[in-house]
Amino acid sequence: MHLLGIDALSREAIVRLLDRADTYFNAAREAKASSAPIATSRALAGRSVVNLFFEASTRTRVSFEVAAKRLGADVVNVAAQASSVSKGETLLDTVKNLAAMGTDVLVMRHPASGAPHFVAGRTPLHVVNAGDGAHEHPTQALLDALTLRRHKGRIEGLRVAICGDILHSRVARSNALLLGKMGAKVHFVAPRTLLPAAADELGAHPGDIEVFDDFDMAIRGVDAVMLLRIQNERLASLSMVPSTAEYARTFGLTAARAAALPDGVLVMHPGPINRGVELAGGVADGARSVVLEQVEAGVAVRMAVLESLFEAAA
Ligand code: NCD
């Protein structure tokens, strides 16, 4: 079994993963509260997980590693810059060699959209997409959904504003699909240059997404505001954002805007945050922010995902 995108997950499959992740989240919280070690299981004992990352990552890579270890798996981390890919080896040859060593799971991040899908059809390994280009980042959407559900008690009927560089964001795409499948509505807001064509069609159904030009209109009546970093490494032209200061004023969640939000509106960010650009530092650290809880949920969600790969294969 693979996890390549939210695209291929049913509503029932999403709920099953979130329910299981919630159990892991609570267990880790309880252990931390009593200063006890977080319990590890043997669910993946004897299995090995390879993290193959062709792009920078802190949260995603480390949390897949922590998750795999909590399930008793062995973990190997491969940074592509230090692998034979830099000597001209193809992606597929690299993966075939990893599989020949008897590994079981390939957690993969790649700048090309569709790279994990290409590999998944050509290897016996279970492939998990940890982010492919501007396409999908399914475990991020699942951890965002878990965070929302823990605070709001449900996902159905919620409204979530997703703000920033939607054009280059796999986080926005996976979230739009998941929220749509679960019956929530999404507001997209971005400068025109950072919005994909037909952005309103990126949901699971017609009508899931409403596109706004104006940030203040977009965050009106929402349950959560999710900010995205401008992905400078993917920008075709720097002229897409003429001035950082102007961007922060027009499309950033400033302290003043955050203060005007009604009680209970969550502030979310997948990280890495560019403080003072899309999100004011004080708001990132403030009472509404669930940014670090999203990271906490990331470990729980990745445990649930890794475990599910083997069950479905049985
Ligand atoms: C994001 C990513 O890599 O897609 N980060 C993450 O995985 N939490 C978003 C980003 O890089 O801005």
Side-chain angles (χ1 to χ4, degrees):
M1 256 286 279
H2 307 296
L3 176 64
L4 301 176
I6 296 300
D7 188 19
L9 288 184
S10 65
R11 187 185 173 119
E12 295 68 35
I14 292 168
V15 171
R16 268 199 305 278
L17 286 170
L18 295 181
D19 288 347
R20 183 184 306 214
D22 214 18
T23 310
Y24 286 129
F25 189 110
N26 287 330
R29 271 264 165 114
E30 281 161 28
K32 273 189 246 170
S34 57
S35 300
I38 297 171
T40 51
S41 87
R42 306 276 301 152
L44 261 63
R47 307 286 190 177
S48 40
V49 176
V50 181
N51 283 325
L52 178 63
F53 278 56
F54 292 85
E55 283 187 354
S57 174
T58 304
R59 280 152 291 273
T60 306
R61 196 198 58 70
V62 175
S63 64
F64 266 111
E65 179 171 356
V66 171
K69 287 182 170 164
R70 283 201 190 144
L71 295 170
D74 297 317
V75 186
V76 184
N77 292 305
V78 184
Q81 296 90 321
S83 75
S84 288
V85 170
S86 65
K87 299 180 182 172
E89 188 169 53
T90 67
L91 172 60
L92 200 51
D93 282 335
T94 303
V95 171
K96 282 181 180 166
N97 280 269
L98 295 171
M101 295 176 210
T103 57
D104 301 286
V105 179
L106 181 68
V107 177
M108 187 179 150
R109 170 170 285 190
H110 198 281
S113 298
H117 307 67
F118 171 78
V119 165
R122 293 166 177 81
T123 175
L125 298 172
H126 301 284
V127 178
V128 180
N129 182 3
D132 63 321
H135 181 216
E136 277 235 40
H137 191 352
T139 55
Q140 180 70 44
L142 287 163
L143 74 85
D144 291 334
L146 181 61
T147 308
L148 280 167
R149 203 179 73 167
R150 288 182 63 88
H151 281 268
K152 302 291 178 190
R154 65 188 206 287
I155 299 172
E156 189 166 3
L158 295 181
R159 277 188 183 269
V160 179
I162 302 183
C163 316
D165 184 359
I166 291 162
L167 178 63
H168 299 104
S169 179
R170 51 200 176 205
V171 176
R173 281 174 183 70
S174 287
N175 264 296
L177 284 172
L178 187 149
L179 291 167
K181 285 187 185 206
M182 300 302 293
K185 296 281 181 220
V186 174
H187 294 184
F188 274 168
V189 59
R192 283 284 162 97
T193 47
L194 295 179
L195 256 186
D200 60 332
E201 290 172 16
L202 292 173
H205 325 91
D208 285 346
I209 298 177
E210 200 177 330
V211 178
F212 293 79
D213 286 323
D214 183 82
F215 191 97
D216 294 296
M217 294 291 283
I219 62 175
R220 196 172 291 171
V222 299
D223 299 284
V225 183
M226 184 184 296
L227 291 313
L228 301 171
R229 177 180 69 93
I230 298 177
Q231 307 225 341
N232 291 306
E233 71 277 26
R234 296 188 217 280
L235 287 192
S237 132
L238 286 175
S239 65
M240 285 170 136
V241 183
S243 141
T244 303
E246 186 182 13
Y247 180 87
R249 254 196 326 276
T250 320
F251 290 101
L253 189 60
T254 57
R257 283 196 173 112
L261 288 170
D263 283 349
V265 177
L266 304 176
V267 171
M268 305 177 75
H269 195 304
I273 298 172
N274 286 163
R275 286 175 177 255
V277 184
E278 72 276 12
L279 181 56
V283 181
D285 302 329
R288 310 177 171 283
S289 169
V290 291
V291 168
L292 291 176
E293 198 174 316
Q294 289 171 265
V295 179
E296 202 177 344
V299 175
V301 154
R302 286 165 182 133
M303 289 175 78
V305 165
L306 289 171
E307 213 179 347
S308 75
L309 301 174
F310 294 94
E311 283 165 4

